[in-house]
């Protein structure tokens, strides 16, 4: 049952990422055809946000799977490495989307 829940969360994460891309591409071309200012930035923000949400969902699925199904020292070590890699990727995406490190955000810009 827990494995099924983790697999469902992983599937949801993939849907979030793919859905963000599928939704973002037509919007980008629509805004570009209208000569709207900032079309590329909106596109980049949309893709970046869907990637961030998808990555966080994948981390949640890994945590559920490791804690419930494989609570060994090796399983926790693998989880730690995965979380570190995905955290680094998330920070890189935040810097790309917002142009600043997460801890350098201006107050009220959450």
């Amino acid at each position: 049952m827990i494995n099924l829940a983790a697999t469902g969360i992983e599937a949801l994460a993939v849907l979030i990422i793919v859905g963000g891309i599928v939704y973002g591409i037509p919007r980008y071309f629509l805004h570009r055809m209208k000569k709207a200012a900032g079309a590329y930035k909106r596109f980049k923000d949309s893709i970046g946000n869907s990637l961030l949400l998808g990555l966080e969902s994948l981390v949640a699925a890994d945590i559920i799977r490791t804690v419930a199904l494989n609570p060994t020292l090796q399983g926790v070590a693998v989880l730690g490495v995965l979380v570190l890699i995905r955290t680094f990727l998330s920070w890189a995406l935040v810097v790309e989307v917002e142009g600043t490190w997460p801890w350098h955000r201006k107050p009220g810009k959450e």
Side-chain angles (χ1 to χ4, degrees):
M1 186 67 169
I2 298 295
N3 196 27
L4 185 62
T7 301
I9 293 171
E10 288 173 340
L12 178 65
V14 171
L15 284 174
I16 289 168
I17 293 169
V18 172
I21 292 169
V22 168
Y23 176 73
I25 289 173
R27 281 188 62 211
Y28 169 71
F29 285 111
L30 182 67
H31 288 287
R32 218 174 130 194
M33 286 175 24
K34 291 181 180 179
K35 307 277 189 218
Y40 176 73
K41 178 161 178 22
R42 276 194 299 257
F43 175 65
K44 187 173 80 167
D45 291 349
S46 173
I47 299 298
N49 287 332
S50 66
L51 284 170
L52 279 169
L53 186 57
L55 277 172
E56 290 185 18
S57 299
L58 287 171
V59 168
D62 285 340
I63 291 170
I64 290 169
R65 183 170 279 126
T66 300
V67 171
L69 297 178
N70 191 18
T72 64
L73 190 57
Q74 182 180 8
V76 172
V78 169
L79 174 66
V81 170
L82 286 173
V83 169
L84 282 174
I85 291 168
R86 289 183 178 153
T87 299
F88 174 76
L89 289 173
S90 293
W91 282 356
L93 284 168
V94 167
V95 170
E96 181 67 27
V97 169
E98 295 182 6
T100 184
W101 288 104
W103 52 87
H104 287 154
R105 287 186 193 141
K106 294 179 182 168
K109 190 180 178 192
E110 298 268 333

